């Protein structure tokens, strides 16, 4: 009898991991740091030998927004490169059939041809605000292809844009813009203060709800086999100004919104090329930012103060 598929999800307690749990993927094992530290190779190999997965969705990473990334360039570089080296090596040694891992459009060259295309990933240095994270993450594609060439590993890589959703990291200082602003808005309302938005409010970002990425991770694990990565995005850009208005509306915040120009804008925009994605998934419907923000705000309010912060 053929062995059934067994999917190991590293980083299963995080933002995308929780979305995968909600999708009730059969035969999936969800790991968190409690199961072992993936920056340690012996612990990583032990986990793989224990569970013997046929498939891996590799999500574990040290992840943050512009604040976390620029404050901890060394930590983000070291932890991410070690986690990735260990996870892919343990997967190779235990004969995992297929593995998907995740980079991000924020690791593309700062000065890049727009829209961002999979082919241009290594053609220049990343934005200085996240160079530690970016260089570590770029190596996922290098390691996956090196392993594919020498050992025939079917290791694929996806590139999502800015993800948000239930169980996000709502830290006002280190989280991504959507969860940070949700918690900041909550606190401003509670304390009767201004809502401070970082930068000029002008930058543009492409946002995608974690539930959409969860569905696409499963799809890619089954159907995508190219050595080159695939960008996962709707291609719709939203300005930070408009995002703030949506969050303030959903939070019923009537106070003053103040731009804090002492804080960075980061890269002005990172529009992505969705040509490859649309070739595979022409009918995929991304959740609109309005619906996604509503869902995330509702989750935040229902779960506060038991949130990741
Ligand atoms: P997340 O919510 O921050 O979750 C990170 C996960 O990694 C948690 O389950 C955490 O476990 C685990 N982890 C961290 N360090 C670990 C270690 N040393 N050993 C074992 N586990 C460890 O991350 P996410 O937002 O779901 O991101 C998932 C993937 O998508 C990452 O590879 C990220 O780079 C990529 N991505 C994210 C975004 C985004 O906007 N969030 C955008 C593009 C790409 P604990 O819960 O136990 O700490
Ligand atoms: P990025 O998309 O990788 O740059 O990361 P973020 O999710 O942190 O988004 C950063 C963008 O949102 C920048 O243009 C920031 O100036 C803007 N922004 C505005 N307010 C905040 C905030 O409270 N937290 C974060 N992380 N970004 C903010």
């Amino acid at each position: 009898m053929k062995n059934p598929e067994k999917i190991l999800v590293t980083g299963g307690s995080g933002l995308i991991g929780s979305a995968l749990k909600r999708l009730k993927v059969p035969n999936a094992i969800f790991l968190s740091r409690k199961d072992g530290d993936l920056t340690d190779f012996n612990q990583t190999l032990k986990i793989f030998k224990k569970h013997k997965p046929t498939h891996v969705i590799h999500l574990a990473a040290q992840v943050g927004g512009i604040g976390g990334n620029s404050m901890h360039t060394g930590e983000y570089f070291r932890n991410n490169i070690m986690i990735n080296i260990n996870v892919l090596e343990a997967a190779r040694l235990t004969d995992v059939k297929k593995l998907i891992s995740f980079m991000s459009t924020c690791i593309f060259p700062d000065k890049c041809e727009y829209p961002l295309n999979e082919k241009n990933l290594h053609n220049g240095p990343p934005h200085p605000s996240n160079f530690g994270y970016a260089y570590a993450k770029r190596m996922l594609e290098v390691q996956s292809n090196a392993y594919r060439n020498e050992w025939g590993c079917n290791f694929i890589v996806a590139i999502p844009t800015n993800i948000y959703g239930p169980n996000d990291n709502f830290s006002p200082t280190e989280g991504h813009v959507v969860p940070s602003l949700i918690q900041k808005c909550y606190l401003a309302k509670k304390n009767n203060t201004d809502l401070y938005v970082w930068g000029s409010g002008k930058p543009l970002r492409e946002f995608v709800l974690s539930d959409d990425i969860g569905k696409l991770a499963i799809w890619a694990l089954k159907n995508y086999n190219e050595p080159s990565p695939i960008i996962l995005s709707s291609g719709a850009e939203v300005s930070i100004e408009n995002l703030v208005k949506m969050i303030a509306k959903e939070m019923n915040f009537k106070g003053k919104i103040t731009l804090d120009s002492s804080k960075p804008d980061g890269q002005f925009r990172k529009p992505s090329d969705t040509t490859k994605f649309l070739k595979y998934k022409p009918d995929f419907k991304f959740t609109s930012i309005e619906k996604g923000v509503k869902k995330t705000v509702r989750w935040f309010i229902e779960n506060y103060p038991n949130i990741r912060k």
Side-chain angles (χ1 to χ4, degrees), residues 80-296:
N80 285 312
I81 207 149
M82 284 166 80
I83 290 173
N84 296 337
I85 293 276
N86 292 342
V87 167
L88 270 61
E89 177 64 357
R92 173 183 87 81
L93 292 174
T94 55
D95 296 322
V96 165
K97 289 198 185 99
K98 182 119 181 232
L99 174 147
I100 180 171
S101 57
F102 288 81
M103 302 193 292
S104 165
T105 45
C106 72
I107 72 170
F108 271 91
D110 182 23
K111 294 187 178 49
C112 194
E113 224 174 79
Y114 289 143
L116 302 174
N117 181 286
E118 290 89 350
K119 291 190 198 106
N120 294 332
L121 184 66
H122 299 285
N123 293 349
H127 191 270
S129 61
N130 67 347
F131 82 98
Y133 175 81
Y135 275 121
K137 280 281 180 181
R138 283 186 191 182
M139 289 304 118
L140 263 177
E141 195 251 0
V142 173
Q143 191 182 358
S144 298
N145 279 317
Y147 279 35
R148 182 182 285 265
N149 294 345
E150 184 167 356
W151 294 300
C153 300
N154 192 359
F155 292 174
I156 59 161
V157 193
I159 312 183
T161 51
N162 196 315
I163 310 167
Y164 68 99
N167 195 40
D168 210 333
N169 171 9
F170 290 90
S171 161
T173 49
E174 300 195 13
H176 279 101
V177 58
V178 176
S180 289
L181 284 175
I182 290 177
Q183 170 143 230
K184 281 162 66 172
C185 191
Y186 176 87
L187 294 173
K189 197 173 155 186
K190 189 172 151 213
N191 301 326
N192 208 14
T193 59
D194 288 9
L195 166 59
Y196 290 96
V197 174
W198 293 357
S200 64
K202 301 286 177 219
L204 302 166
R205 293 290 183 269
E206 291 178 15
F207 296 103
V208 56
L209 184 66
S210 53
D211 300 68
D212 292 343
I213 293 297
K215 286 179 201 157
L216 291 172
I218 300 295
W219 164 79
L221 193 65
K222 290 200 177 128
N223 300 291
Y224 187 78
N225 294 301
E226 290 187 33
S228 72
I230 181 166
I231 290 176
L232 306 177
S233 177
S234 67
E237 288 184 297
V238 176
S239 74
I240 301 298
E241 260 172 344
N242 281 340
L243 174 72
V244 176
K245 283 184 197 150
M246 280 178 227
I247 292 174
K249 180 171 163 256
E250 286 309 322
M251 300 286 292
N252 198 21
F253 175 73
K254 308 274 187 227
K256 193 170 166 223
I257 296 170
T258 300
L259 295 170
D260 179 356
S261 58
S262 71
K263 296 288 187 192
D265 266 345
Q267 212 162 342
F268 183 68
R269 58 190 293 241
K270 339 182 181 195
S272 58
D273 189 341
T274 55
T275 312
K276 188 193 268 192
F277 177 73
L278 289 174
K279 193 182 89 189
Y280 280 95
K281 297 287 286 173
D283 300 323
F284 188 81
K285 297 269 174 290
F286 283 94
T287 308
S288 70
I289 182 76
E290 290 83 4
K291 263 196 181 164
V293 163
K294 195 187 263 289
K295 180 172 181 163
T296 311

Side-chain angles (χ1 to χ4, degrees), residues 44-88:
T44 309
L45 189 59
K46 204 166 150 197
I47 290 172
F48 275 74
K49 284 187 170 165
K50 176 179 164 196
H51 293 294
K52 300 186 180 59
T54 55
H55 294 68
V56 175
I57 300 179
H58 172 38
L59 302 171
Q62 186 157 9
V63 186
I66 193 166
N69 261 304
S70 41
M71 269 188 285
H72 305 296
T73 50
E75 209 179 297
Y76 276 47
F77 177 81
R78 181 198 61 204
N79 290 348
N80 285 312
I81 207 149
M82 284 166 80
I83 290 173
N84 296 337
I85 293 276
N86 292 342
V87 167
L88 270 61

